[in-house]
Amino acid sequence: MLTVAIPTHNRARVLRQTLERLAQITIPAGVEWELIVVQNNCTDGTAAMLEELSPRLPLRAITESRPGVNYARNAAVEAARGECVVFTDDDTLPDMEWLRAYGSAFAEFPDVDIFGGPIITRFPAPPPPWLRDSLTLVAYAYGRLEARGRGVTLSRTFFPYGANMAFRTRVLRDSPFDPALGPKGTSRINGSETELILKLFARGHLGRWVEEARVEHCIQEEQMTTRFLRWYYTGQGASMARSAPEPGTKMLWGRPRWLWREVVSAELLYRAHRLHRSPQTWIADLKRASVARGRLLYRSDD
């Protein structure tokens, strides 16, 4: 028995595409599966859409009222009947052999607890020139995880994330996702999967790359903007700010003094370079400015 889990928040339109694809994928012989969709404070037409599609899928719709993707993920793990949980997002198109590939990997590597596969970015239209020219600099912001070939072992420097990852269920029940991390409403603190997987590696759990388990990540129009990149990299800065300042660091209004300088200088450099430099240059500046802003704004007691 395998469990596919999808957390969602008010994205009925894009979620429908994902579920339509899941209704067509190849199911391994002799394998049962279930699909758990966790409605995380949904107020749109998600519930009605799930009811409409339920005859075509082994679907269980559950709700999690606490806002945050990791509350939703943990709710899916607790409800899962499968020995393994395969996570994807509400804006992906899994390959037709996606579940077969994971099922084969689970059987072939019984001593492995962490799995992941490629994530291919799919844009609704050609990206604007500035994004096209700098896409390699912001690949993680769009969930891109390139193919690495068969037989690759996951490690502390190469591991999967949200849109295409899988675990033995018992492992996640012992070590759940941290609800303080991940997207939560209009804010986010990056590092959700990173923190968990690195913790599992430190405890001796093994990971395996599943090359054939591919998904396409469907980028939305509003994500092809500098506003989206600011939001994403501000979340990365917030994640970095969870570490305590070095002893002896000079502080100003509860933040390191050097960080105030970094925020101002990085933002000014971004604005100046955007006027006359290449996208590769000012996108790097935008990342730096956003990370600095996230580090400045984050408070551990928020």
Side-chain angles (χ1 to χ4, degrees):
M1 169 68 100
L2 307 180
T3 297
V4 173
I6 303 177
T8 189
H9 170 67
N10 285 348
R11 302 185 81 187
R13 179 182 59 83
V14 293
L15 175 60
R16 174 184 284 274
Q17 298 177 70
T18 302
L19 300 187
E20 293 277 4
R21 173 60 64 87
L22 286 172
Q24 304 172 47
I25 65 172
T26 303
I27 307 303
V31 170
E32 293 183 65
W33 76 296
E34 63 172 354
L35 171 61
I36 297 179
V37 176
V38 186
Q39 302 171 85
N40 192 208
N41 278 334
C42 292
T43 56
D44 62 352
T46 297
M49 184 270 294
L50 294 177
E51 184 175 357
E52 175 191 342
L53 294 182
S54 60
R56 300 173 53 195
L57 289 159
L59 173 62
R60 281 199 290 148
I62 65 175
T63 60
E64 172 53 69
S65 60
R66 293 169 294 183
V69 67
N70 281 348
Y71 278 122
R73 286 172 176 160
N74 290 338
V77 171
E78 288 304 310
R81 297 170 182 156
E83 297 175 22
C84 299
V85 181
V86 185
F87 288 97
T88 193
D89 288 342
D90 57 11
D91 55 1
T92 65
L93 294 175
D95 186 84
M96 298 300 286
E97 300 297 316
W98 180 65
L99 206 54
R100 185 199 293 273
Y102 272 127
S104 297
F106 298 148
E108 185 178 354
F109 303 104
D111 58 336
V112 173
D113 296 321
I114 310 162
F115 300 84
I119 304 172
I120 302 160
T121 48
R122 176 173 177 167
F123 290 94
W130 65 263
L131 179 55
R132 180 199 62 211
D133 294 343
S134 59
L135 188 56
T136 56
L137 298 177
V138 293
Y140 281 154
Y142 293 104
R144 182 173 169 185
L145 190 58
E146 295 182 351
R148 296 294 182 99
R150 297 181 181 179
V152 174
T153 300
L154 300 180
S155 68
R156 295 181 62 86
T157 58
F158 175 62
F159 48 83
Y161 39 85
N164 195 12
M165 60 184 183
F167 303 84
R168 304 283 177 187
T169 308
R170 56 175 171 75
V171 172
L172 292 184
R173 287 182 176 155
D174 291 339
S175 301
F177 291 93
D178 184 348
L181 302 178
K184 186 182 297 185
T186 59
S187 66
R188 70 178 292 146
I189 303 176
N190 293 4
S192 173
E193 300 90 338
T194 300
E195 181 177 277
L196 174 64
I197 292 174
L198 293 183
K199 180 170 64 176
L200 293 178
F201 283 152
R203 293 177 179 175
H205 295 279
L206 303 177
R208 192 79 181 184
W209 179 248
V210 186
E211 178 75 9
E212 296 82 6
R214 297 180 175 86
V215 302
E216 289 184 290
H217 182 210
C218 300
I219 308 303
Q220 307 304 305
E221 290 280 355
E222 62 270 18
Q223 294 173 317
M224 297 162 59
T225 62
T226 55
R227 181 179 181 182
F228 168 77
L229 292 176
R230 274 192 182 275
W231 176 75
Y232 180 86
Y233 286 105
T234 297
Q236 182 172 315
S239 178
M240 296 169 65
R242 299 179 82 218
S243 301
E246 291 291 330
T249 300
K250 294 182 179 180
M251 307 293 283
L252 177 64
W253 295 319
R255 300 294 189 274
R257 287 186 179 181
W258 66 264
L259 185 54
W260 292 96
R261 293 192 297 270
E262 174 75 0
V263 168
V264 174
S265 63
E267 184 66 29
L268 290 176
L269 201 61
Y270 159 65
R271 293 177 180 271
H273 282 171
R274 187 159 187 180
L275 296 175
H276 58 84
R277 299 290 290 274
S278 69
Q280 293 93 330
T281 298
W282 59 260
I283 284 294
D285 294 329
L286 175 61
K287 289 172 60 176
R288 177 186 161 204
S290 301
V291 168
R293 183 174 184 272
R295 297 183 71 170
L296 185 72
L297 294 178
Y298 175 80
R299 292 181 60 92
S300 60
D301 56 352
D302 283 349

